Amino acid sequence: VLHTHPTDLVAMTHNRAFLQPDVLGKLLWSMIPETRVIVPKGLGIVPYKLPGSLELADATIRLLDRYDVVMWEKHGALAVGGDVIECFDMIDTLSKSAQIYLQARAMGFEPEGLTDEQSEELRKAFRLVCKFDFISSGKGSFVWVFPTPPLCFV
């Protein structure tokens, strides 16, 4: 488990549009192919809760069933993985994707990002497996998880 305060990712949680489920995660996946592969289950968002509170802990635990990394609105990120290096890599890769997005916007354009077809190509090439996950609302969402054993990337 790793908790940190990546400035670029925290800044993005100040935009209400990015707080909707899977909006920020999908955007960050599209910035560089590595994000789609290194953070296969994506990024969950917990709306603002008092830091250190049981309410924040409970909301985080619920999202970790579906996501690799959870962002806490206006606070920080928490990742769960096999070891601290894996957790760091996930948050660092998301941070790099955020930097690409923010730099493109600062240059005056909306970055194109990977297309859905390119993302699907990554899913197939890296054998990211689709698991259908029913969420509490009764609607389904697709969550991508690594096959077992995990792939190694050099």
Side-chain angles (χ1 to χ4, degrees):
V1 176
L2 176 67
H3 166 55
T4 186
H5 307 94
T7 309
D8 41 21
L9 291 171
V10 173
M12 294 184 87
T13 70
H14 286 262
N15 181 335
R16 287 259 162 244
F18 292 150
L19 300 180
Q20 300 305 309
D22 300 319
V23 171
L24 183 56
K26 186 172 180 181
L27 173 73
L28 296 175
W29 267 352
S30 78
M31 292 296 103
I32 52 175
E34 291 79 2
T35 308
R36 183 71 174 88
V37 174
I38 292 172
V39 191
K41 289 170 48 181
L43 178 67
I45 305 287
V46 173
Y48 182 82
K49 310 273 186 232
L50 181 67
S53 68
L54 287 177
E55 186 179 21
L56 177 61
D58 289 341
T60 301
I61 290 167
R62 282 192 302 275
L63 287 181
L64 286 172
D65 284 342
R66 295 191 309 267
Y67 299 99
D68 297 302
V69 179
V70 174
M71 280 300 305
W72 298 330
E73 180 186 355
K74 300 179 180 91
H75 179 157
L78 182 127
V80 174
D83 57 38
V84 72
I85 300 298
E86 182 182 356
C87 294
F88 173 84
D89 285 345
M90 287 188 285
I91 293 174
D92 185 55
T93 304
L94 287 166
S95 178
K96 288 175 183 165
S97 288
Q99 291 170 38
I100 290 166
Y101 176 80
L102 295 169
Q103 287 178 12
R105 294 300 306 262
M107 289 187 282
F109 68 93
E110 181 75 26
E112 183 179 293
L114 297 172
T115 65
D116 289 341
E117 292 77 22
Q118 291 166 329
S119 185
E120 176 64 11
E121 180 182 42
L122 282 168
R123 184 192 67 78
K124 288 178 181 176
F126 287 92
R127 297 183 296 141
L128 301 170
V129 180
C130 176
K131 177 183 90 176
F132 197 74
D133 178 47
F134 286 94
I135 56 178
S136 60
S137 68
K139 298 178 182 176
S141 65
F142 285 98
V143 179
W144 305 104
V145 296
F146 275 116
T148 303
L151 299 172
C152 297
F153 304 100
V154 179

